[in-house]
Tab-separated table of all heavy atoms in Angstrom:
chain	number	residue	atom	x	y	z
A	1	GLY	N	73.577	0.213	41.907
A	1	GLY	CA	74.300	-0.899	41.311
A	1	GLY	C	73.446	-1.586	40.261
A	1	GLY	O	72.283	-1.895	40.500
A	2	ILE	N	74.023	-1.821	39.087
A	2	ILE	CA	73.323	-2.522	38.011
A	2	ILE	C	73.635	-4.005	38.140
A	2	ILE	O	74.793	-4.416	38.043
A	2	ILE	CB	73.765	-2.004	36.628
A	2	ILE	CG1	73.509	-0.497	36.520
A	2	ILE	CG2	73.040	-2.743	35.520
A	2	ILE	CD1	73.989	0.118	35.213
A	3	VAL	N	72.598	-4.808	38.393
A	3	VAL	CA	72.783	-6.244	38.587
A	3	VAL	C	71.915	-7.022	37.605
A	3	VAL	O	71.041	-6.474	36.942
A	3	VAL	CB	72.447	-6.669	40.038
A	3	VAL	CG1	73.213	-5.831	41.048
A	3	VAL	CG2	70.947	-6.567	40.304
A	4	GLY	N	72.151	-8.321	37.557
A	4	GLY	CA	71.360	-9.186	36.692
A	4	GLY	C	72.095	-10.486	36.445
A	4	GLY	O	73.272	-10.627	36.783
A	5	LEU	N	71.405	-11.438	35.850
A	5	LEU	CA	72.046	-12.674	35.436
A	5	LEU	C	73.027	-12.373	34.307
A	5	LEU	O	72.947	-11.317	33.679
A	5	LEU	CB	70.994	-13.678	34.959
A	5	LEU	CG	69.988	-14.182	36.002
A	5	LEU	CD1	68.964	-15.092	35.341
A	5	LEU	CD2	70.692	-14.914	37.133
A	6	PRO	N	73.938	-13.282	34.006
A	6	PRO	CA	74.825	-13.072	32.865
A	6	PRO	C	74.026	-12.962	31.563
A	6	PRO	O	72.966	-13.568	31.413
A	6	PRO	CB	75.695	-14.337	32.864
A	6	PRO	CG	75.648	-14.841	34.268
A	6	PRO	CD	74.268	-14.511	34.747
A	7	ASN	N	74.549	-12.189	30.632
A	7	ASN	CA	74.001	-12.082	29.276
A	7	ASN	C	72.593	-11.483	29.204
A	7	ASN	O	71.807	-11.836	28.333
A	7	ASN	CB	73.989	-13.451	28.581
A	7	ASN	CG	75.383	-14.012	28.398
A	7	ASN	OD1	76.359	-13.262	28.374
A	7	ASN	ND2	75.491	-15.323	28.293
A	8	VAL	N	72.283	-10.572	30.125
A	8	VAL	CA	70.979	-9.890	30.043
A	8	VAL	C	71.124	-8.478	29.488
A	8	VAL	O	70.136	-7.794	29.256
A	8	VAL	CB	70.273	-9.831	31.429
A	8	VAL	CG1	69.973	-11.228	31.938
A	8	VAL	CG2	71.109	-9.044	32.437
A	9	GLY	N	72.364	-8.022	29.276
A	9	GLY	CA	72.586	-6.697	28.696
A	9	GLY	C	73.052	-5.647	29.677
A	9	GLY	O	72.994	-4.451	29.387
A	10	LYS	N	73.556	-6.075	30.847
A	10	LYS	CA	73.973	-5.106	31.865
A	10	LYS	C	75.081	-4.174	31.372
A	10	LYS	O	75.001	-2.965	31.512
A	10	LYS	CB	74.470	-5.813	33.126
A	10	LYS	CG	73.421	-6.544	33.916
A	10	LYS	CD	73.967	-7.071	35.220
A	10	LYS	CE	75.092	-8.056	35.028
A	10	LYS	NZ	76.412	-7.487	34.753
A	11	SER	N	76.138	-4.783	30.832
A	11	SER	CA	77.282	-3.969	30.414
A	11	SER	C	76.943	-3.095	29.216
A	11	SER	O	77.417	-1.958	29.109
A	11	SER	CB	78.487	-4.866	30.102
A	11	SER	OG	78.933	-5.501	31.283
A	12	THR	N	76.101	-3.618	28.317
A	12	THR	CA	75.644	-2.804	27.187
A	12	THR	C	74.886	-1.588	27.696
A	12	THR	O	75.093	-0.462	27.238
A	12	THR	CB	74.731	-3.629	26.254
A	12	THR	OG1	75.454	-4.760	25.778
A	12	THR	CG2	74.265	-2.794	25.063
A	13	LEU	N	74.023	-1.812	28.681
A	13	LEU	CA	73.253	-0.719	29.276
A	13	LEU	C	74.175	0.267	29.977
A	13	LEU	O	74.041	1.485	29.810
A	13	LEU	CB	72.234	-1.284	30.264
A	13	LEU	CG	71.381	-0.255	31.007
A	13	LEU	CD1	70.426	0.432	30.039
A	13	LEU	CD2	70.601	-0.911	32.141
A	14	PHE	N	75.120	-0.240	30.756
A	14	PHE	CA	76.050	0.630	31.474
A	14	PHE	C	76.853	1.483	30.496
A	14	PHE	O	77.022	2.689	30.686
A	14	PHE	CB	76.987	-0.221	32.331
A	14	PHE	CG	78.046	0.575	33.043
A	14	PHE	CD1	77.764	1.214	34.237
A	14	PHE	CD2	79.327	0.684	32.506
A	14	PHE	CE1	78.742	1.947	34.889
A	14	PHE	CE2	80.306	1.416	33.155
A	14	PHE	CZ	80.013	2.048	34.351
A	15	ASN	N	77.358	0.858	29.443
A	15	ASN	CA	78.147	1.596	28.457
A	15	ASN	C	77.322	2.684	27.787
A	15	ASN	O	77.811	3.784	27.526
A	15	ASN	CB	78.718	0.640	27.402
A	15	ASN	CG	79.799	-0.259	27.968
A	15	ASN	OD1	80.419	0.067	28.982
A	15	ASN	ND2	80.018	-1.394	27.335
A	16	ALA	N	76.060	2.372	27.512
A	16	ALA	CA	75.186	3.371	26.898
A	16	ALA	C	74.908	4.511	27.867
A	16	ALA	O	74.950	5.690	27.508
A	16	ALA	CB	73.881	2.722	26.453
A	17	LEU	N	74.638	4.176	29.123
A	17	LEU	CA	74.345	5.189	30.136
A	17	LEU	C	75.510	6.142	30.329
A	17	LEU	O	75.331	7.341	30.515
A	17	LEU	CB	74.010	4.523	31.471
A	17	LEU	CG	72.564	4.077	31.680
A	17	LEU	CD1	72.467	3.109	32.845
A	17	LEU	CD2	71.647	5.272	31.904
A	18	THR	N	76.692	5.623	30.299
A	18	THR	CA	77.873	6.453	30.533
A	18	THR	C	78.517	6.906	29.226
A	18	THR	O	79.623	7.457	29.236
A	18	THR	CB	78.902	5.680	31.378
A	18	THR	OG1	79.227	4.451	30.715
A	18	THR	CG2	78.350	5.370	32.749
A	19	SER	N	77.812	6.675	28.106
A	19	SER	CA	78.320	7.022	26.764
A	19	SER	C	79.697	6.428	26.524
A	19	SER	O	80.559	7.039	25.890
A	19	SER	CB	78.358	8.549	26.587
A	19	SER	OG	77.070	9.089	26.650
A	20	SER	N	79.900	5.243	27.075
A	20	SER	CA	81.186	4.571	26.920
A	20	SER	C	81.342	4.031	25.510
A	20	SER	O	80.391	3.561	24.904
A	20	SER	CB	81.294	3.416	27.927
A	20	SER	OG	82.433	2.633	27.674
A	21	GLN	N	82.556	4.103	24.978
A	21	GLN	CA	82.847	3.552	23.657
A	21	GLN	C	83.597	2.221	23.777
A	21	GLN	O	84.153	1.727	22.800
A	21	GLN	CB	83.701	4.541	22.849
A	21	GLN	CG	83.070	5.909	22.707
A	21	GLN	CD	81.707	5.848	22.061
A	21	GLN	OE1	81.540	5.245	21.011
A	21	GLN	NE2	80.715	6.463	22.694
A	22	ALA	N	83.581	1.668	24.994
A	22	ALA	CA	84.317	0.423	25.206
A	22	ALA	C	83.722	-0.701	24.374
A	22	ALA	O	82.526	-0.710	24.073
A	22	ALA	CB	84.269	0.049	26.692
A	23	ALA	N	84.536	-1.636	24.014
A	23	ALA	CA	84.064	-2.785	23.237
A	23	ALA	C	83.057	-3.583	24.046
A	23	ALA	O	83.132	-3.648	25.270
A	23	ALA	CB	85.256	-3.668	22.874
A	24	GLN	N	82.111	-4.188	23.353
A	24	GLN	CA	81.093	-4.978	24.022
A	24	GLN	C	81.730	-6.226	24.637
A	24	GLN	O	82.684	-6.795	24.099
A	24	GLN	CB	80.015	-5.399	23.017
A	24	GLN	CG	79.235	-4.223	22.440
A	24	GLN	CD	78.533	-3.426	23.533
A	24	GLN	OE1	77.824	-4.002	24.345
A	24	GLN	NE2	78.741	-2.129	23.554
A	25	SER	N	81.171	-6.653	25.753
A	25	SER	CA	81.710	-7.813	26.447
A	25	SER	C	81.423	-9.096	25.662
A	25	SER	O	80.464	-9.164	24.899
A	25	SER	CB	81.076	-7.925	27.840
A	25	SER	OG	81.337	-6.776	28.591
A	26	ALA	N	82.241	-10.088	25.883
A	26	ALA	CA	82.028	-11.382	25.227
A	26	ALA	C	80.774	-12.045	25.771
A	26	ALA	O	80.321	-11.759	26.876
A	26	ALA	CB	83.243	-12.268	25.476
A	27	ASN	N	80.223	-12.948	24.994
A	27	ASN	CA	78.946	-13.584	25.334
A	27	ASN	C	79.172	-14.803	26.228
A	27	ASN	O	79.025	-15.942	25.807
A	27	ASN	CB	78.234	-13.976	24.033
A	27	ASN	CG	76.895	-14.638	24.315
A	27	ASN	OD1	76.305	-14.417	25.363
A	27	ASN	ND2	76.440	-15.462	23.390
A	28	TYR	N	79.606	-14.533	27.479
A	28	TYR	CA	79.740	-15.618	28.436
A	28	TYR	C	79.686	-15.032	29.845
A	28	TYR	O	79.941	-13.843	30.037
A	28	TYR	CB	81.046	-16.404	28.232
A	28	TYR	CG	82.310	-15.574	28.297
A	28	TYR	CD1	82.940	-15.326	29.511
A	28	TYR	CD2	82.866	-15.042	27.137
A	28	TYR	CE1	84.094	-14.574	29.577
A	28	TYR	CE2	84.035	-14.280	27.198
A	28	TYR	CZ	84.636	-14.052	28.422
A	28	TYR	OH	85.778	-13.300	28.476
A	29	PRO	N	79.324	-15.845	30.867
A	29	PRO	CA	79.194	-15.335	32.231
A	29	PRO	C	80.510	-14.818	32.794
A	29	PRO	O	81.589	-15.207	32.354
A	29	PRO	CB	78.708	-16.561	33.017
A	29	PRO	CG	78.109	-17.458	31.992
A	29	PRO	CD	78.912	-17.237	30.743
A	30	PHE	N	80.394	-13.930	33.800
A	30	PHE	CA	81.518	-13.409	34.572
A	30	PHE	C	82.495	-12.597	33.735
A	30	PHE	O	83.688	-12.570	34.002
A	30	PHE	CB	82.272	-14.547	35.289
A	30	PHE	CG	81.376	-15.603	35.826
A	30	PHE	CD1	81.559	-16.933	35.494
A	30	PHE	CD2	80.306	-15.274	36.639
A	30	PHE	CE1	80.713	-17.910	35.982
A	30	PHE	CE2	79.452	-16.247	37.135
A	30	PHE	CZ	79.659	-17.562	36.803
A	31	CYS	N	81.987	-11.937	32.695
A	31	CYS	CA	82.874	-11.164	31.833
A	31	CYS	C	83.362	-9.894	32.522
A	31	CYS	O	84.366	-9.329	32.131
A	31	CYS	CB	82.186	-10.827	30.507
A	31	CYS	SG	80.603	-10.024	30.709
A	32	THR	N	82.643	-9.445	33.550
A	32	THR	CA	83.063	-8.251	34.290
A	32	THR	C	83.498	-8.701	35.679
A	32	THR	O	82.673	-9.039	36.500
A	32	THR	CB	81.900	-7.245	34.400
A	32	THR	OG1	81.322	-7.067	33.122
A	32	THR	CG2	82.379	-5.933	34.947
A	33	ILE	N	84.792	-8.699	35.931
A	33	ILE	CA	85.286	-9.222	37.207
A	33	ILE	C	85.239	-8.155	38.302
A	33	ILE	O	84.803	-8.407	39.411
A	33	ILE	CB	86.720	-9.759	37.045
A	33	ILE	CG1	86.723	-10.882	35.997
A	33	ILE	CG2	87.253	-10.285	38.374
A	33	ILE	CD1	85.778	-12.034	36.300
A	34	GLU	N	85.669	-6.955	37.981
A	34	GLU	CA	85.575	-5.843	38.922
A	34	GLU	C	84.454	-4.914	38.476
A	34	GLU	O	84.211	-4.748	37.275
A	34	GLU	CB	86.895	-5.063	38.971
A	34	GLU	CG	88.073	-5.869	39.499
A	34	GLU	CD	87.909	-6.246	40.959
A	34	GLU	OE1	87.151	-5.568	41.671
A	34	GLU	OE2	88.558	-7.221	41.388
A	35	PRO	N	83.740	-4.301	39.421
A	35	PRO	CA	82.646	-3.423	39.006
A	35	PRO	C	83.169	-2.172	38.311
A	35	PRO	O	84.151	-1.586	38.736
A	35	PRO	CB	81.956	-3.055	40.326
A	35	PRO	CG	83.026	-3.218	41.360
A	35	PRO	CD	83.887	-4.347	40.887
A	36	ASN	N	82.527	-1.801	37.219
A	36	ASN	CA	82.845	-0.545	36.550
A	36	ASN	C	81.982	0.547	37.159
A	36	ASN	O	80.830	0.305	37.531
A	36	ASN	CB	82.565	-0.664	35.051
A	36	ASN	CG	83.515	-1.630	34.375
A	36	ASN	OD1	84.720	-1.525	34.536
A	36	ASN	ND2	82.975	-2.585	33.650
């Protein structure tokens, strides 16, 4: 599981790891409600 405080780059890292082309998350806490 990839964890961290908000806005540390978790989703950016996850998208890169999985070669995801999804749009980057907005710059605010709790942007990912369900785990990807």
Side-chain angles (χ1 to χ4, degrees):
I2 302 177
V3 307
L5 296 176
N7 297 336
V8 297
K10 292 187 299 80
S11 294
T12 301
L13 178 68
F14 176 82
N15 290 337
L17 275 164
T18 56
S19 296
S20 171
Q21 304 302 309
Q24 295 301 308
S25 301
N27 180 24
Y28 57 87
F30 321 126
C31 54
T32 311
I33 300 303
E34 296 294 337
N36 293 309

